[in-house]
Amino acid sequence: MMTEAVQSTAKPGVWAGLFCTNMALIFVLSITGAIEHPVPMILLACNMVLLIPLVKSASRAQEEKGAVSKAMRAYNRRFLTFSFIYMVVMLGAAFAAGKLAEGSPAMWVLAVLPMLPAFGMIWAMVRYLQEEHDEYLRLRAVNASMVGLGLVLVLGTGWGFLETFDLVPHIWAWWVFPAWAIGLGIGMALPERGGEVS
Amino acid sequence: MKNRLRVLRAEREWSQQDLADRLDVSRQSVNAIETGKYDPSLPLAFKLADIFGLAIEDIFLREEEQQAAAE
């Protein structure tokens, strides 16, 4: 059978690069004190918009590679929905926090709210692993989540020690979820060794 | 693990996508199995055997067979 070399039009790497660069910039500006609360939260929430073209273009790339399944489509849809809710809640919480008195009970609600869509994204991953009947794609997703976990553990442990010795400033712990998601994306994008299409 | 999937497909003039449709998996999974990057589970190996009407050992090569084939 003839094999046609098709030039991929999907460029998830470009969107992922832009997303990560923005995250890194916001992080640097935040720890150096160039921007102060709630600006980093607002900027991070705005950056989440990039997840829409990123996930769409990654889905297109998966379709072109023949690596998509019904479960994967459902996962992409759920992940995007929860990302959108996360963005809205983060923005809302950042704006509302400034209007509330420190220590007010409503502040607890604001703090808990962004956790819900974050849990939703984890639920989407769990559902994917339950619904995916293609064992190879399931293995790839598990491996990718291990890359994410590894990234969080390495960065967290490393930063923790640096912070203990007062070499770097303190950062908020909620960075773990974006870091894990970035690791997951890197894990999914890692090229497979060898393999020809026919 | 080495296997004869490529030859068996070629004999039937099936593309990887044709085989993937029969197995109800992605084309990428067929490619990974065929190129030896992924060893399928027993249920999937039995499904492959059923599709080709062969025994599992007629599709996947034992280590000794792989060495013999290499020599």
Side-chain angles (χ1 to χ4, degrees), chain A residues 1 64-69 133-137 139-140 192-198, chain B residues 6 9 13-16 24-29 31-32 34-35 37-38 40-41 44:
Chain A
M1 295 229 167
E64 287 169 2
K65 274 168 49 184
V68 84
S69 62
H133 67 263
D134 186 319
E135 57 186 52
Y136 177 66
L137 294 185
L139 176 75
R140 275 185 61 83
E192 297 166 85
R193 283 167 292 140
E196 294 166 29
V197 184
S198 60
Chain B
R6 181 181 289 266
R9 271 198 310 107
E13 296 188 340
W14 290 349
S15 65
Q16 286 183 340
D24 195 21
V25 297
S26 63
R27 207 255 324 134
Q28 198 185 26
S29 301
N31 184 57
E34 193 172 296
T35 52
K37 283 182 293 177
Y38 174 70
S41 65
L44 188 56

Side-chain angles (χ1 to χ4, degrees), chain A residues 49-96:
Chain A
V49 174
L50 288 178
L51 284 177
I52 296 170
L54 171 56
V55 171
K56 284 194 169 173
S57 126
S59 305
R60 212 162 48 242
Q62 285 166 344
E63 297 268 5
E64 287 169 2
K65 274 168 49 184
V68 84
S69 62
K70 196 176 155 195
M72 183 82 75
R73 286 193 192 97
Y75 167 74
N76 286 339
R77 195 176 54 246
R78 286 169 184 155
F79 184 83
L80 265 187
T81 306
F82 284 116
S83 302
F84 181 73
I85 298 171
Y86 189 59
M87 181 192 78
V88 171
V89 170
M90 257 181 100
L91 274 174
F95 281 116

Side-chain angles (χ1 to χ4, degrees), chain A residues 23 27 30-31 41 44 86 90 115 118 152-153 155-157 159-160 163 169-180:
Chain A
M23 291 285 279
F27 177 74
S30 176
I31 63 165
M41 267 179 94
L44 281 173
Y86 189 59
M90 257 181 100
M115 278 154 66
V152 167
L153 291 178
L155 289 179
T157 309
W159 193 274
E163 203 179 305
H170 174 70
I171 54 168
W172 294 315
W174 50 257
W175 64 268
V176 290
F177 195 82
W180 176 80

